[in-house]
């Protein structure tokens, strides 16, 4: 009885509050209003429902670009419910007005194929695309990823999210081009499925780096996006992760806190610990088992080119991580093992880590065995292969800025491995 009464009063509360303040925004119009003041406008343009492109060399270039952007819009805003860049990011509601997003064909940009400009007072972004990239979705859909991140508001002006904008934008570009998540939107606009943008030599070969490292030239912030692919595909079925990670990673950001995206993810994944999630992400990256068929196929073709030289032998089955390759904050080492039969290992370190023994069968079936107190064993059958994955997972998240890594974020995990039944 109590239960029914509670449910009833809860229902009444929801029904009454919904009547008092509608939570469902007005439906957007099919054609958004032009917004020529954003980015400067011009007299030569071409329109689609949600975009206006200025200064394309001819109509066919303009139409192809508009059609591709409408396809991306249909996937992310239409199917996945991301906030429309037609809305101002200065607006607290989603009622409109809705404006077309401007795209400018520009002759050149310093050191870039494209970038995203903003009108911070009106709260709209616009895309600048260098002429020769006007037909390259990997370039301008990436920028559209920035436009959608702006539209989602809460990461704007939060410096510690800064480098992650590139990670998100490349997730958007790769997902648009390759993912089943965008398959309907691609087919609706006759867009081909293309090659993945994944850069395995960087994301795996330099997996020791901070999980998102914005260091100029050496960082990984453009390559780190498979982490998001993993979170969205959620092959481990963690509650709170999966398709809702976007837009939750923006909408559940603690406003004006300048916290990092990992802090939001920690709350989304709770009660699963974020350290567990990151540990399993890297374990799955040993064989790119993150629900991305094209990335996994590319891994099988190119794995021999990846740098796995992470450990030095100390003799007698003992190894120590090379100091230059010690996993930084939430970074990892993936260590392919030679051997079969029973393999056991003990990993020791002076600070917290997650370690996993990963076994892949010749058919691609996977087994993940998390080490307990640093110890674990697996049996590797004929035709199977195994790897050890060690991840630097401090107990508490750092408030770190990937563009300016603190010594804490850059502190490597110094660990040793004892192996029985296998070598490296
Ligand atoms: C439009 O411009 C592109 C890029 O310069 C060119 O390849 C294409 O042939 C042009 N199309 C028409 C119809 O002029
Ligand atoms: C996650 O759920 C899917 C669908 O129910 C299932 O096929 C898969 O085995 C689950 N994965 C794990 C790791 O439990």
């Amino acid at each position: 009885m109590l239960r029914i009464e509670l449910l009833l009063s809860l229902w009444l509360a929801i029904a009454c509050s919904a009547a008092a303040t509608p939570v469902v925004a007005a439906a957007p119009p099919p054609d958004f209003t032009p917004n020529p003041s954003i980015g400067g406008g011009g007299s030569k343009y071409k329109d689609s429902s949600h975009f206006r492109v200025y200064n394309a060399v001819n109509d066919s270039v303009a139409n192809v670009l508009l059609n591709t952007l409408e396809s991306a819009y249909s996937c992310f805003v239409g199917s996945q419910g991301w906030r429309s860049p037609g809305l101002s990011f200065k607006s607290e509601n989603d009622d409109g007005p809705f404006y077309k997003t401007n795209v400018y064909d520009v002759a050149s940009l310093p050191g870039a194929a494209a970038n995203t400009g903003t009108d911070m007072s009106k709260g709209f972004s616009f895309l600048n695309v260098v002429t020769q990239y006007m037909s390259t979705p990997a370039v301008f859909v990436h920028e559209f990823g920035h436009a959608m991140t702006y539209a989602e508001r809460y990461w704007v002006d939060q410096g510690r999210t800064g480098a992650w904008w590139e990670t998100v934008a490349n997730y958007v570009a790769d997902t648009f081009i390759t993912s089943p998540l965008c398959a309907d939107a691609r087919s609706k606009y006759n867009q081909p499925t293309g090659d993945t943008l994944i850069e395995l030599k960087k994301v795996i070969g330099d997996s020791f780096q901070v999980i998102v490292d914005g260091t100029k030239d050496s960082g990984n912030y453009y390559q780190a996006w498979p982490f998001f692919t993993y979170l969205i595909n959620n092959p481990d079925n963690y509650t709170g992760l999966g398709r809702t990670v976007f837009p939750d990673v923006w909408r559940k950001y603690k406003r004006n806190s300048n916290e990092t995206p990992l802090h939001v993810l920690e709350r989304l994944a709770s009660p699963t610990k974020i350290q567990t999630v990151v540990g399993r992400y890297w374990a799955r990256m040993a064989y790119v088992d993150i629900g991305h068929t094209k990335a996994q196929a590319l891994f099988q073709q190119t794995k021999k080119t990846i740098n796995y030289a992470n450990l030095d032998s100390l003799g007698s089955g003992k190894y120590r991580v090379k100091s230059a390759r010690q996993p930084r904050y939430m970074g990892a080492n993936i260590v392919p093992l030679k051997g079969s039969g029973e393999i056991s290992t003990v990993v020791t370190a002076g600070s917290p880590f997650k370690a996993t023994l990963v076994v892949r069968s010749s058919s691609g079936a996977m087994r993940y065995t998390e080490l307990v107190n640093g110890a674990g064993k697996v049996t590797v059958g004929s035709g199977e292969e195994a790897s050890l994955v060690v991840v630097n997972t401090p107990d508490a998240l750092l408030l770190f800025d990937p563009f300016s890594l603190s010594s804490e974020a850059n502190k490597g995990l110094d660990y040793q491995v004892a192996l029985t039944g296998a070598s490296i």
Side-chain angles (χ1 to χ4, degrees):
M1 281 307 284
L2 181 62
R3 209 180 185 87
I4 289 164
E5 276 165 24
L6 267 175
L7 278 174
L8 185 64
S9 60
L10 190 64
W11 180 83
L12 282 171
I14 292 166
C16 293
S17 71
T21 44
V23 287
V24 179
D31 276 299
F32 292 2
T33 307
N35 205 7
S37 74
I38 306 301
S43 56
K44 185 184 171 193
Y45 58 79
K46 189 99 186 138
D47 286 341
S48 65
S49 299
H50 306 108
F51 298 90
R52 169 171 284 190
V53 57
Y54 287 95
N55 304 326
V57 292
N58 60 34
D59 274 2
S60 80
V61 167
N63 288 335
V64 168
L65 174 128
L66 290 169
N67 189 56
T68 306
L69 284 172
E70 289 294 345
S71 178
Y73 189 99
S74 162
C75 179
F76 296 101
V77 180
S79 306
Q80 298 181 58
W82 299 16
R83 191 166 183 270
S84 172
L87 291 164
S88 168
F89 58 78
K90 303 281 276 190
S91 168
E92 286 296 328
N93 63 52
D94 295 351
D95 296 345
F98 287 84
Y99 291 106
K100 292 185 198 291
T101 299
N102 292 336
V103 183
Y104 294 88
D105 180 328
V106 297
S108 66
L109 291 167
N115 66 22
T116 302
T118 49
D119 182 323
M120 291 305 284
S121 66
K122 292 183 177 142
F124 292 97
S125 60
F126 55 95
L127 281 44
N128 297 309
V129 182
V130 172
T131 307
Q132 75 195 87
Y133 297 101
M134 288 286 285
S135 307
T136 310
V139 170
F140 62 78
V141 175
H142 170 106
E143 301 305 326
F144 180 55
H146 291 322
M148 292 189 289
T149 306
Y150 274 111
E152 285 282 355
R153 300 176 282 202
Y154 302 158
W155 281 18
V156 176
D157 285 336
Q158 305 298 298
R160 293 193 185 106
T161 73
W164 293 74
W165 287 58
E166 301 303 344
T167 315
V168 168
N170 266 354
Y171 165 78
V172 167
D174 185 79
T175 299
F176 174 66
I177 293 167
T178 69
S179 173
L181 274 180
C182 289
D184 287 349
R186 283 195 302 271
S187 89
K188 196 168 155 202
Y189 291 87
N190 290 313
Q191 297 294 306
T193 303
D195 291 336
T196 176
L197 308 181
I198 202 164
E199 292 176 62
L200 292 163
K201 277 168 90 166
K202 182 66 180 171
V203 71
I204 295 180
D206 283 354
S207 58
F208 66 88
Q209 291 187 313
V210 173
I211 188 163
V212 171
D213 175 342
T215 309
K216 197 172 181 304
D217 300 329
S218 67
N220 60 15
Y221 55 136
Y222 284 87
Q223 291 88 15
W225 57 265
F227 180 50
F228 281 116
T229 305
Y230 167 72
L231 295 173
I232 276 75
N233 288 335
N234 196 20
D236 294 299
N237 302 324
Y238 293 130
T239 306
L241 302 182
R243 303 243 177 123
T244 50
V245 163
F246 290 112
D248 279 356
V249 76
W250 298 306
R251 293 189 194 168
K252 297 191 173 167
Y253 187 86
K254 204 173 280 169
R255 291 189 73 176
N256 299 312
S257 65
N258 202 15
E259 65 182 358
T260 76
L262 282 173
H263 288 80
V264 191
L265 294 169
E266 178 178 55
R267 292 194 297 275
L268 295 180
S270 175
T272 306
K273 290 176 77 71
I274 188 69
Q275 290 81 358
T276 302
V277 175
V278 173
R280 183 51 63 91
Y281 162 62
W282 284 118
R284 284 183 174 270
M285 284 303 285
Y287 300 92
V288 194
D289 179 31
I290 57 170
H292 192 315
T293 315
K294 291 200 163 201
Q296 189 173 61
L298 188 65
F299 171 75
Q300 289 301 335
Q301 286 160 27
T302 59
K303 59 190 177 187
K304 289 200 171 66
T305 66
I306 296 171
N307 178 7
Y308 288 108
N310 295 312
L311 307 186
D312 286 323
S313 174
L314 302 174
S316 325
K318 295 200 165 54
Y319 301 84
R320 182 175 184 179
V321 62
K322 291 177 191 289
S323 69
R325 306 274 294 179
Q326 290 175 357
R328 287 16 184 208
Y329 178 64
M330 297 293 180
N333 290 147
I334 294 170
V335 180
L337 304 176
K338 297 191 188 97
S340 59
E342 186 175 292
I343 296 177
S344 64
T345 188
V346 176
V347 177
T348 49
S351 54
F353 62 91
K354 290 280 177 201
T356 308
L357 282 164
V358 184
V359 180
R360 180 182 184 276
S361 79
S362 54
S363 70
M366 302 297 308
R367 301 200 299 282
Y368 297 94
T369 305
E370 200 179 305
L371 272 52
V372 177
N373 297 321
K377 63 179 177 202
V378 288
T379 301
V380 179
S382 73
E384 293 190 326
E385 52 189 327
S387 291
L388 171 67
V389 179
V390 180
V391 189
N392 179 350
T393 53
D395 286 336
L397 293 184
L398 299 179
L399 279 170
F400 81 108
D401 177 357
F403 284 134
S404 169
L405 292 177
S406 60
S407 55
E408 238 182 331
N410 237 336
K411 186 170 176 293
L413 178 78
D414 187 6
Y415 68 93
Q416 295 196 20
V417 178
L419 262 181
T420 312
S423 63
I424 287 161

